[in-house]
Amino acid sequence: MNSSHNQPKHEFPWNCVADIALGKPVDFSNLAHGILIALIAIHAFTCPMTILLNLLVMIAVKTKVRLQSMSNIALACLASTDLMVGLVGQPLLIAVTVNLLKTTAEACSLQTAVKFFAHFFMLASFIHLFLITMDRCIAITRPYVYIQAVTKARVLIGTALAWTLTVIIHIVFFIDHGLFEVINSVLVSAFIAIILLCNAIVYREARRHEKQIASQQVDAATRENFLFQKRAFKLTLTIIAFVIISFLPMVIFRISIECLKDIVTLGTLWAIRAAASSLAVLNSFVNPLIYYLRLRQFRVALIELLMRKNRNEAEEFERKIFGSNVVAHRELIQRREGGEP
C-alpha cells in the first residue's frame, strides 16, 4: 500500500509535490545536517532585519519629501516586494527546513507553499527591476522626455500593474502547473533580457555623455543632471548584479539536478537546494543594505527615524560615522528633493 501510514519512519510520501524525486530515505550527512541548521539560524536572524530595513526604506520615502524622487519611489516599491519576502518567504523557508530535518509529511505542503511564493516574489522583483531599469534608461537617454513623462503617479501605477500581473500569472499555478512553469520562465527570461539590453544602452549613452563633458560640449546644468543620473544608474547596476548573484546558484542547481542525483545522496541534494534557495531569499535582506550604504540621504533618514533626531543632527551624526561631506552637493540635493545616489 502507498498510504503514508505504512511508509517507513524516515520517508516522504510519494505524492509529495517537490522538485526532487522523493519517497526515498533522507539520510543527512553531518555536513548536510550542519548546513541546514546554519541556514535556519541565518534566516532566524535576518528575517526580522529584512522586515525592519525594508519597512524603514518605505517609511523614509513616504515621510521625507526630499527623498521623493522618481528613482527613490521606485526603490521603495522594490522594497515592498522585499518586505513581503521577510514577512512570508523567510518564515516558510524556516518551517520547511525544520520539517525537512524531521522528514515529516508536513514538509510537502510547506514545499508547495515555498515554491509558490518563491515564484511569486521572484517575478514581482524582476518586474520592479524592469521598471527601475526603464526609469534609468529614459532618464539618461531622453532626459527632457523623462521630466515630462515620468511622474510619481505613473511610477505608482506601474507598481500596481506589476503586482496585478504577478497575481494574474500565479492564478495559473493552481490551474495548470506545467503551463505556469512555461509562462513564468518565459516572462522572467524576457524581463532579464530587456534589463540587460537597457543597461547596455544606458552604458553606451553614459560613455557618450562623458566624452561630451570631457570636451566641454555641454553646459553646467546638463553636466550636473548627467552626473546625478549616472550615480543612480550605478546604484541600479549594483542592485541588478546582486540579484543575479543571488539567483544564479538556484538556476545552476535546477539545470544540473539530474546529474547531481546520480552523484550525491538525497540528503546532500536537499542541503544544496536549501542553500541555493536561501541565497536567493537573502537578496531581500541585502537590497536595503545597498541603499543605506550607497545613498547618503537614506542613511540620514535612517538615523532620523531610529534615533529620533532632526535632519541637521542626523547629518552631523552621519558625517562623524561615514565621513560624508555635509556641505557638498547640498544645493543639488535641495533642488532635486530626491537624495543623492
Side-chain angles (χ1 to χ4, degrees), residues 115-116 118-124 126 166 169-170 172-173 177-191:
K115 187 172 184 178
F116 173 81
H119 282 300
F120 187 91
F121 294 130
M122 180 178 68
L123 181 58
F126 276 112
T166 303
I169 295 300
H170 282 75
V172 184
F173 183 92
H177 191 266
L179 178 61
F180 165 79
E181 290 285 355
V182 173
I183 295 175
N184 186 72
S185 298
V186 170
L187 282 177
V188 170
S189 300
F191 282 122

Coordinates of all heavy atoms in Angstrom, one line a residue, residues 115-116 118-124 126 166 169-170 172-173 177-191:
K115 N 7.5 27.0 -2.8 CA 7.6 27.1 -4.3 C 6.7 28.2 -4.9 O 7.2 29.0 -5.7 CB 7.3 25.8 -4.9 CG 7.7 25.7 -6.4 CD 7.5 24.3 -6.9 CE 7.9 24.2 -8.4 NZ 7.8 22.8 -8.9
F116 N 5.5 28.3 -4.4 CA 4.6 29.2 -5.0 C 5.0 30.7 -4.7 O 5.1 31.5 -5.6 CB 3.2 29.0 -4.3 CG 2.2 30.1 -4.7 CD1 1.5 30.1 -5.9 CD2 2.0 31.2 -3.8 CE1 0.6 31.1 -6.2 CE2 1.1 32.2 -4.1 CZ 0.4 32.2 -5.3
A118 N 8.0 31.6 -3.8 CA 9.3 31.9 -4.4 C 9.1 32.4 -5.8 O 9.7 33.4 -6.2 CB 10.2 30.6 -4.4
H119 N 8.3 31.7 -6.6 CA 8.0 32.2 -7.9 C 7.3 33.5 -7.9 O 7.6 34.4 -8.7 CB 7.0 31.1 -8.6 CG 7.8 29.9 -9.1 ND1 8.8 30.0 -10.1 CD2 7.6 28.6 -8.8 CE1 9.2 28.8 -10.3 NE2 8.5 27.9 -9.6
F120 N 6.4 33.7 -7.0 CA 5.6 34.9 -6.9 C 6.5 36.2 -6.7 O 6.4 37.1 -7.4 CB 4.6 34.8 -5.8 CG 3.6 36.0 -5.7 CD1 2.4 35.9 -6.4 CD2 3.9 37.1 -4.9 CE1 1.5 37.0 -6.3 CE2 3.0 38.2 -4.9 CZ 1.8 38.1 -5.6
F121 N 7.3 36.1 -5.6 CA 8.2 37.2 -5.3 C 9.3 37.4 -6.3 O 9.8 38.5 -6.5 CB 8.7 37.1 -3.9 CG 7.7 37.1 -2.8 CD1 7.6 36.2 -1.8 CD2 6.7 38.1 -2.8 CE1 6.6 36.2 -0.9 CE2 5.7 38.2 -1.8 CZ 5.7 37.2 -0.9
M122 N 9.8 36.3 -6.9 CA 10.8 36.4 -7.9 C 10.3 37.2 -9.1 O 11.0 38.1 -9.6 CB 11.3 35.0 -8.4 CG 12.4 35.1 -9.4 SD 13.1 33.5 -9.9 CE 11.7 32.8 -10.8
L123 N 9.1 36.8 -9.6 CA 8.5 37.5 -10.7 C 8.2 39.0 -10.4 O 8.5 39.9 -11.2 CB 7.2 36.9 -11.2 CG 6.5 37.5 -12.4 CD1 7.4 37.5 -13.6 CD2 5.2 36.7 -12.7
A124 N 7.7 39.3 -9.2 CA 7.4 40.6 -8.8 C 8.7 41.4 -8.7 O 8.7 42.6 -9.1 CB 6.7 40.6 -7.4
F126 N 11.5 40.9 -10.4 CA 12.1 41.2 -11.7 C 11.3 42.3 -12.5 O 11.8 43.0 -13.3 CB 12.2 39.9 -12.5 CG 13.4 39.1 -12.3 CD1 13.4 37.9 -11.6 CD2 14.7 39.6 -12.7 CE1 14.5 37.2 -11.4 CE2 15.8 38.9 -12.4 CZ 15.8 37.7 -11.7
T166 N 1.6 40.0 -11.6 CA 2.1 38.9 -10.9 C 1.0 38.0 -10.3 O 1.1 36.8 -10.4 CB 3.0 39.4 -9.7 OG1 4.0 40.2 -10.2 CG2 3.6 38.3 -8.9
I169 N -0.8 36.0 -13.2 CA 0.1 34.9 -13.7 C 0.0 33.7 -12.7 O 0.0 32.5 -13.1 CB 1.5 35.3 -13.9 CG1 1.6 36.4 -15.1 CG2 2.4 34.1 -14.2 CD1 1.1 35.8 -16.4
H170 N 0.0 34.0 -11.4 CA 0.1 33.0 -10.4 C -1.2 32.3 -10.2 O -1.3 31.3 -9.4 CB 0.7 33.5 -9.2 CG 2.2 33.6 -9.2 ND1 2.9 34.6 -10.0 CD2 3.2 32.8 -8.7 CE1 4.2 34.4 -9.9 NE2 4.4 33.3 -9.2
V172 N -2.6 30.8 -12.5 CA -2.4 29.7 -13.4 C -1.7 28.6 -12.6 O -1.8 27.4 -12.9 CB -1.6 30.1 -14.6 CG1 -1.4 28.9 -15.6 CG2 -2.2 31.2 -15.4
F173 N -1.0 28.9 -11.6 CA -0.2 27.9 -10.7 C -1.2 26.9 -10.2 O -0.8 25.7 -10.1 CB 0.4 28.7 -9.6 CG 1.3 27.8 -8.7 CD1 2.6 27.6 -8.9 CD2 0.7 27.2 -7.6 CE1 3.4 26.8 -8.1 CE2 1.4 26.4 -6.7 CZ 2.8 26.2 -7.0
H177 N -0.1 23.6 -13.5 CA 1.2 23.9 -13.0 C 2.2 23.9 -14.2 O 3.2 24.7 -14.2 CB 1.6 22.9 -11.9 CG 2.8 23.3 -11.2 ND1 4.1 22.8 -11.5 CD2 3.0 24.1 -10.2 CE1 5.0 23.3 -10.7 NE2 4.4 24.1 -9.9
G178 N 2.1 23.0 -15.1 CA 3.0 22.9 -16.2 C 3.0 24.1 -17.1 O 4.0 24.7 -17.4
L179 N 1.8 24.6 -17.4 CA 1.6 25.8 -18.1 C 2.2 27.0 -17.4 O 2.8 27.9 -18.0 CB 0.1 26.1 -18.4 CG -0.2 27.4 -19.2 CD1 0.5 27.4 -20.6 CD2 -1.7 27.5 -19.3
F180 N 2.0 27.0 -16.1 CA 2.5 28.1 -15.3 C 4.0 28.2 -15.3 O 4.6 29.3 -15.5 CB 2.1 28.0 -13.8 CG 2.9 28.8 -12.8 CD1 2.6 30.2 -12.7 CD2 3.9 28.3 -12.1 CE1 3.3 31.0 -11.9 CE2 4.7 29.1 -11.3 CZ 4.4 30.4 -11.1
E181 N 4.7 27.0 -15.2 CA 6.1 27.0 -15.3 C 6.6 27.6 -16.6 O 7.6 28.3 -16.7 CB 6.6 25.5 -15.2 CG 6.5 24.9 -13.8 CD 7.5 25.5 -12.8 OE1 8.4 26.2 -13.2 OE2 7.4 25.1 -11.6
V182 N 6.0 27.2 -17.7 CA 6.4 27.8 -19.0 C 6.2 29.3 -19.1 O 7.1 30.0 -19.5 CB 5.5 27.1 -20.2 CG1 5.8 27.8 -21.5 CG2 5.9 25.6 -20.2
I183 N 5.0 29.8 -18.7 CA 4.7 31.2 -18.7 C 5.7 32.0 -17.8 O 6.3 33.0 -18.2 CB 3.3 31.5 -18.3 CG1 2.3 30.9 -19.3 CG2 3.0 33.0 -18.2 CD1 0.8 31.0 -18.9
N184 N 5.9 31.5 -16.6 CA 6.8 32.1 -15.6 C 8.2 32.2 -16.2 O 8.9 33.3 -16.1 CB 6.7 31.4 -14.3 CG 7.5 32.1 -13.2 OD1 7.1 33.2 -12.7 ND2 8.6 31.6 -12.8
S185 N 8.7 31.1 -16.7 CA 10.1 31.0 -17.2 C 10.2 32.0 -18.4 O 11.3 32.7 -18.5 CB 10.4 29.6 -17.7 OG 10.4 28.7 -16.6
V186 N 9.2 32.1 -19.3 CA 9.3 33.0 -20.4 C 9.3 34.4 -20.0 O 10.1 35.2 -20.5 CB 8.2 32.7 -21.4 CG1 8.1 33.8 -22.5 CG2 8.3 31.3 -22.1
L187 N 8.5 34.7 -19.0 CA 8.4 36.1 -18.6 C 9.7 36.6 -17.9 O 10.2 37.6 -18.1 CB 7.2 36.3 -17.6 CG 5.8 36.4 -18.3 CD1 4.7 36.5 -17.2 CD2 5.7 37.7 -19.2
V188 N 10.1 35.7 -16.9 CA 11.4 36.1 -16.2 C 12.5 36.2 -17.2 O 13.3 37.2 -17.1 CB 11.7 35.0 -15.1 CG1 13.1 35.2 -14.5 CG2 10.6 35.0 -14.0
S189 N 12.6 35.3 -18.1 CA 13.7 35.4 -19.1 C 13.6 36.7 -20.0 O 14.6 37.3 -20.3 CB 13.7 34.1 -20.1 OG 13.9 33.0 -19.3
A190 N 12.4 37.0 -20.3 CA 12.2 38.2 -21.1 C 12.5 39.5 -20.4 O 13.2 40.4 -20.9 CB 10.7 38.3 -21.6
F191 N 12.1 39.5 -19.1 CA 12.5 40.7 -18.3 C 14.0 40.8 -18.1 O 14.6 41.9 -18.1 CB 11.8 40.6 -16.9 CG 10.3 41.0 -17.0 CD1 9.3 40.2 -16.6 CD2 10.0 42.3 -17.5 CE1 8.0 40.6 -16.7 CE2 8.6 42.7 -17.6 CZ 7.6 41.8 -17.1

